[in-house]
Amino acid sequence: MNAPKDPAQHHDRSGRAPAPAPAPAPAPAHRHGDAHTHGHTDGHRHGHAHHAVADDLDWELLAGHLEASGELHLPAHRAAAARLRELLGGGREVRRVLDIGSGPGVMTCVLAEAFPEAEVVAVDGTPALLDRALARAGRLGLSGRVGVRHTRLPEGLADGALGAADLVWSSKAVHHLGDQQGALDALARVLRPGGMLAVAEGGLPVRFLPRDLGFGRPGLQARLDALQEDRYQAMRAGLPGSVPVAEDWPAMLRRAGLTGVGAFTTLLDLPAPLGEPGRDFLHSQLTRLRDASDGSLDALDLETLDRLLDPAAAQGLRRRPDVFLLSAATVFAGKRPVL
């Protein structure tokens, strides 16, 4: 990969250069397919492997994993984009779409394909990830319609900073911000009348192994879920300006002034025997969990994880025939009233 370009030099389709951004620093925004999983499958509550960890992650280092995860989840991403198009209605002209906490731009490009008349802007706080988003758009022939915006959150949500949009999408980013209701309020203000805000902030923990592995103590994934929930809560409590809130996302969207609030869930169902890309993803996820165990798991569970991660072990993730990938991601959406 080439050296990261300065995202501040990128222009959107309108030819306007983005406003000067703060010094590059990982935004506390999560991204579609990133490295923690709180009810999903890719390392965050993103319908992926769901590990909630502190926000001192090196997003640039995780870039390859994030993109691979996003590609693995393309069927679910495309299903979500198609549903959003349906909810917006065929008569609605969608001219501008924002992907908040975009990461390497996998969903950004899916949205560009789903809304072929729209300019789609990847918004993220990590320059190297935005560079990947631009490169991905180029490979897919979307360069003319996909732009990037280097923006640190939540500061970048100030009124008018992002410009108006007909659709704002955010996956597993809002829960990385201390004031989740305040973030939704700000994103709702970005919408043009009749525009839609959609946040992927729900779902179920990913499943990929049977309850009884044939070794170790049964129920390992349930214990990993509990560990990740504790880490997620610690992450939330440690965020600047953290505000406790009942995570009733429909109610939160309505408090942000949106109407017609509803939800839908996409499913990623890759049955056993799982292909190599899925095994690569799970091995990467489980490796990070093992490395970050910090004494939270007992010796038997650590031994079990080590065997699962051993590429030569017949009962490991790389070789056992019963490995699958099942993930459910829930999207909550509402529209700004037409005055």
Side-chain angles (χ1 to χ4, degrees):
M1 177 175 155
N2 295 330
K5 306 175 185 68
D6 179 3
Q9 296 176 356
H10 298 314
H11 290 64
D12 61 26
R13 190 173 58 164
S14 67
R16 295 186 301 272
H30 200 175
R31 34 203 123 256
H32 204 103
D34 72 15
H36 340 331
T37 44
H38 181 138
H40 290 305
T41 73
D42 60 33
H44 200 132
R45 298 180 72 169
H46 177 153
H48 311 234
H50 189 74
H51 328 155
V53 299
D55 258 329
D56 56 356
L57 293 175
D58 186 337
W59 294 115
E60 184 171 348
L61 184 64
L62 288 168
H65 172 74
L66 299 183
E67 191 161 6
S69 172
E71 290 177 352
L72 188 66
H73 290 81
L74 274 173
H77 296 342
R78 287 174 176 147
R83 181 62 174 148
L84 293 174
R85 185 175 178 85
E86 178 183 327
L87 291 172
L88 277 164
R92 169 80 193 187
E93 182 183 9
V94 178
R95 295 168 290 165
R96 191 165 187 261
V97 177
L98 298 177
D99 181 0
I100 306 297
S102 63
V106 177
M107 187 61 173
T108 309
C109 291
V110 169
L111 291 168
E113 291 168 344
F115 298 94
E117 303 303 317
E119 168 200 10
V120 184
V121 182
V123 180
D124 204 279
T126 303
L129 294 177
L130 293 174
D131 199 53
R132 280 187 176 248
L134 287 175
R136 183 177 188 84
R139 292 194 303 271
L140 295 175
L142 300 169
S143 296
R145 294 194 298 107
V146 171
V148 300
R149 181 69 176 266
H150 178 231
T151 296
R152 184 174 175 83
L153 304 177
E155 297 90 336
L157 299 181
D159 287 351
L162 296 177
D166 301 289
L167 171 63
V168 175
W169 164 267
S170 183
S171 176
K172 313 313 171 203
V174 173
H175 72 245
H176 277 270
L177 305 179
D179 185 355
Q180 296 179 98
Q181 184 65 60
L184 293 178
D185 294 347
L187 291 174
R189 288 193 293 270
V190 169
L191 297 172
R192 295 182 174 120
M196 175 176 288
L197 170 61
V199 293
E201 287 288 355
L204 297 172
V206 66
R207 284 292 175 268
F208 54 94
L209 288 169
R211 185 191 65 87
D212 192 331
L213 303 175
F215 62 94
R217 185 157 53 103
L220 174 65
Q221 283 197 258
R223 293 189 294 280
L224 293 177
D225 290 344
L227 173 62
Q228 293 171 135
E229 287 294 342
D230 288 342
R231 292 179 178 174
Y232 176 76
Q233 182 56 32
M235 180 275 292
R236 284 286 316 150
L239 290 173
S242 181
V243 178
V245 63
E247 292 178 348
D248 180 346
W249 294 98
M252 294 165 74
L253 289 176
R254 284 190 286 268
R255 285 198 294 271
L258 303 183
T259 60
V261 174
F264 63 89
T265 297
T266 60
L267 184 70
L268 181 71
D269 183 5
L270 304 178
L274 189 64
E276 287 306 310
R279 291 175 189 263
D280 290 344
F281 162 74
L282 292 173
H283 193 276
S284 178
Q285 287 292 97
L286 214 55
T287 297
R288 276 199 304 281
L289 267 180
R290 172 64 176 86
D291 292 345
S293 59
D294 296 331
S296 303
L297 298 173
D298 65 26
L300 183 56
D301 280 346
L302 291 176
E303 182 181 334
T304 300
L305 285 174
D306 288 340
R307 188 184 299 192
L308 286 171
L309 291 170
D310 183 351
Q315 293 177 309
L317 280 176
R318 295 290 190 187
R319 300 179 61 185
R320 59 186 301 143
D322 57 358
V323 180
F324 60 97
L325 181 56
L326 182 64
S327 173
T330 300
V331 178
F332 302 94
K335 293 182 180 180
R336 180 172 179 175
V338 178
L339 301 180

